[in-house]
Amino acid sequence: MIYKTTDVFGVKSTLIKTYIEREKVDKKFKEAINDGNEVIVYGSSKQGKTTLILKHLNIDDYIKVECSPQTKSIDIYKSILRQLNIGYIESETNSENKELGGKINGGFKIKVPALGEIGLGSEVSEAENFSSTKKEVFFEYNLELAQDVSELFIRNKISKYIVLENFHYLSQEVQENLAYDLRVFQDHQIIFIILGIWREANRLVQFNGDLLDRISEVPVEPWEKSDFLKVIEKGEELLNVDFSLIQNQIINCSFDSIGVVQEICKQCCIIADITETQKNKFTLQKEHLIQALDLKAKEYGVRHHRNFEAFVDISNKISAQSGKASLAFPYYFIQLLLTYNLDNIESGLSRASLLDEIRKIHHRPEDVRSGDLGAFLHNITQHQMNKKINPPFVDYDRGGKTLKIIDSSLYFFLRNCDRNEILDDLPNPLDE
């Protein structure tokens, strides 16, 4: 059978041919979706969260909602209703001596017909100058209340999983609200599968302690070297190629990212002009890897360089309380990222370490207080959203008080770029 290289290797929104099952992840996920709890799948970007869903759930098994920074809880619930073709209205018109068919009222309450589809009719008499709506029987639901939403799901016999993609894009307020809603949904056996880019356990439990023992968490990391080898070997069989001369270098360059491994393997093949399964076995060489690494470094570099510039772009406002300019934490954080030992960054940076290191390089170290740094760290995800940095590249674990990189390609970029050159190119707020 002939396979295309882009179907065998790479990062895609569809299931890749070199997907492998890992007992610690796949088995845990299959158990999780059947144990009655809400399911949280988490890990760094491009580490296999979406493909885990694609592998184990048919398209008819679930409803998927793509979250964004503007998404509210009610937007999620309305999307689910639309995808299930559940008809509803937001208000019933019954006017007298007023404009016919008055505008649907705003708000979160909806009305669902008791039987059949929505079919409001109206009768108008010009002589009497009034309009009347046919009498229909409706059930009213408030989409602000998880109990009402649960009843609506049950009434319509919704047995599908609800997948929330990119949960991390939601504002903290919406995440907290959904954490409380999940408690209600779990009571009604309505299963949500939440996909989020973070690296610590119990993220939603921090918002609602009552979720403890009511959610099943599935971390997609870490990836072991043996896992990467299995992926490469599977691709070798499908394309009839041989990576033996360079496979260890590919794995070492990936910094534990399956997304990077997939992309490097794909680029090696493309550079060798392998676009599909070969008739005769082809052995990939070191020169193919060198070119692939250079190409991926440039591709990742464009995005990360732009992200860094956006991240540090802040207005150097004067504080009304202190009369001093901003402490410019975004700038100093990126400066630290570009100068600090990468091995220490990979293991995560504690809040205490960040405080010490930023004080060492800050122009006003005596003004760098733990509380101010804490406020910056607590809002670091929202700051990235505001700067349109998607996906975010760093996240703060409030429970462990640790800052972690969550973009799996960033380590590759930092190892292959000229960090001093990037730092010199960044706009320094102190120059404003």
Side-chain angles (χ1 to χ4, degrees):
M1 188 171 180
I2 304 298
Y3 296 95
K4 291 183 178 179
T5 297
T6 52
D7 290 333
V8 173
F9 287 123
V11 176
K12 300 182 65 175
S13 58
T14 55
L15 188 63
I16 204 77
K17 297 294 184 183
T18 46
Y19 183 94
I20 63 163
E21 292 198 23
R22 297 174 290 159
E23 184 173 359
K24 292 181 180 179
V25 177
D26 293 75
K27 181 180 179 181
K28 192 169 186 177
F29 178 75
K30 286 185 283 188
E31 292 173 348
I33 60 176
N34 292 313
D35 67 6
N37 283 351
E38 306 304 297
V39 181
I40 313 294
V41 180
Y42 68 94
S44 302
S45 64
K46 299 179 180 64
Q47 289 287 56
K49 294 180 294 297
T50 301
T51 51
L52 187 66
I53 303 296
L54 296 172
K55 175 65 177 179
H56 297 292
L57 294 179
N58 296 320
I59 192 67
D60 294 331
D61 292 336
Y62 61 92
I63 297 295
K64 184 170 76 171
V65 180
E66 297 274 359
C67 300
S68 75
Q70 292 75 40
T71 303
K72 307 297 182 185
S73 300
I74 186 173
D75 300 321
I76 292 172
Y77 303 144
K78 284 185 175 181
S79 175
I80 296 169
L81 298 184
R82 288 194 300 270
Q83 293 184 62
L84 292 170
N85 294 318
I86 296 176
Y88 65 88
I89 60 173
E90 294 191 21
S91 68
E92 182 180 0
T93 303
N94 191 355
S95 59
E96 189 168 322
N97 290 322
K98 294 182 180 179
E99 180 183 0
L100 291 178
K103 183 179 180 181
I104 288 179
N105 294 329
F108 303 131
K109 292 184 178 180
I110 66 170
K111 294 180 180 180
V112 178
L115 296 171
E117 299 179 354
I118 294 176
L120 288 182
S122 62
E123 298 174 354
V124 179
S125 170
E126 294 183 0
E128 297 182 15
N129 191 28
F130 75 94
S131 65
S132 63
T133 303
K134 283 184 179 179
K135 186 176 181 180
E136 303 249 6
V137 178
F138 291 90
F139 291 113
E140 185 173 84
Y141 297 90
N142 187 344
L143 294 188
E144 287 184 303
L145 303 177
Q147 176 64 36
D148 281 24
V149 176
S150 297
E151 292 175 8
L152 181 58
F153 286 3
I154 292 170
R155 178 175 177 271
N156 286 274
K157 299 180 180 179
I158 298 176
S159 59
K160 296 186 178 185
Y161 299 104
I162 310 298
V163 176
L164 301 187
E165 183 91 56
N166 295 322
F167 187 84
H168 51 278
Y169 284 164
L170 300 172
S171 68
Q172 183 174 325
E173 179 184 4
V174 175
Q175 290 186 33
E176 291 176 353
N177 290 339
L178 285 169
Y180 282 93
D181 285 358
L182 288 174
R183 167 68 174 81
V184 178
F185 292 133
Q186 197 267 340
D187 275 349
H188 292 88
Q189 291 80 53
I190 300 168
I191 307 302
F192 280 69
I193 302 175
I194 291 174
L195 279 59
I197 295 179
W198 57 78
R199 296 178 64 189
E200 82 276 12
N202 297 321
R203 168 66 70 94
L204 269 66
V205 173
Q206 295 177 28
F207 297 144
N208 180 9
D210 205 23
L211 284 178
L212 190 64
D213 298 326
R214 294 177 179 273
I215 60 175
S216 298
E217 296 195 317
V218 183
V220 295
E221 298 175 279
W223 281 80
E224 306 292 342
K225 181 176 181 179
S226 58
D227 298 326
F228 295 136
L229 288 172
K230 289 177 183 177
V231 168
I232 294 173
E233 289 170 3
K234 192 170 183 179
E236 287 177 324
E237 294 177 4
L238 296 173
L239 293 176
N240 194 26
V241 296
D242 182 3
F243 278 93
S244 61
L245 297 179
I246 58 175
Q247 64 183 14
N248 287 329
Q249 290 174 275
I250 292 174
I251 294 171
N252 292 336
C253 290
S254 72
F255 304 103
D256 301 323
S257 169
I258 185 58
V260 174
V261 168
Q262 288 279 8
E263 283 294 310
I264 292 176
C265 286
K266 182 183 74 174
Q267 290 302 329
C268 283
C269 290
I270 292 174
I271 289 168
D273 200 28
I274 297 171
T275 58
E276 61 181 24
T277 304
Q278 300 296 288
K279 292 181 179 179
N280 301 310
K281 180 162 288 190
F282 184 92
T283 300
L284 279 304
Q285 304 293 326
K286 187 173 181 179
E287 56 264 28
H288 300 131
L289 175 60
I290 293 173
Q291 292 181 56
L293 292 176
D294 182 63
L295 178 63
K296 293 312 297 182
K298 290 178 180 177
E299 287 183 3
Y300 291 147
V302 171
R303 181 166 65 87
H304 289 304
H305 200 162
R306 183 176 64 247
N307 286 347
F308 288 169
E309 290 179 340
F311 191 90
V312 304
D313 183 21
I314 59 172
S315 57
N316 200 21
K317 296 180 180 178
I318 303 297
S319 169
Q321 295 180 341
S322 66
K324 297 181 179 180
S326 163
L327 291 171
F329 279 127
Y331 174 77
Y332 284 105
F333 169 69
I334 297 298
Q335 181 177 338
L336 183 62
L337 194 64
L338 292 170
T339 56
Y340 204 54
N341 185 290
L342 284 176
D343 292 333
N344 294 336
I345 292 175
E346 288 182 34
S347 60
L349 295 171
S350 69
R351 176 169 164 176
S353 297
L354 280 168
L355 184 64
D356 290 340
E357 296 300 327
I358 288 179
R359 279 175 174 167
K360 291 178 184 178
I361 59 177
H362 204 279
H363 68 291
R364 287 161 40 204
E366 68 282 358
D367 290 334
V368 178
R369 299 175 299 179
S370 178
D372 294 327
L373 178 61
F376 163 69
L377 294 174
H378 289 171
N379 291 296
I380 199 166
T381 299
Q382 188 61 49
H383 175 72
Q384 293 171 92
M385 291 181 185
N386 294 342
K387 297 297 183 178
K388 294 180 171 47
I389 299 174
N390 298 318
F393 62 87
V394 67
D395 180 60
Y396 181 63
D397 174 4
R398 295 191 181 193
K401 294 185 177 180
T402 305
L403 194 75
K404 298 179 180 180
I405 289 178
I406 54 174
D407 187 321
S408 62
S409 68
L410 183 54
Y411 294 120
F412 176 87
F413 168 67
L414 291 175
R415 293 283 187 183
N416 289 278
C417 72
D418 184 335
R419 294 197 284 169
N420 290 326
E421 181 180 349
I422 293 175
L423 183 58
D424 290 340
D425 288 341
L426 293 180
N428 189 334
L430 305 180
D431 296 334
E432 294 181 5

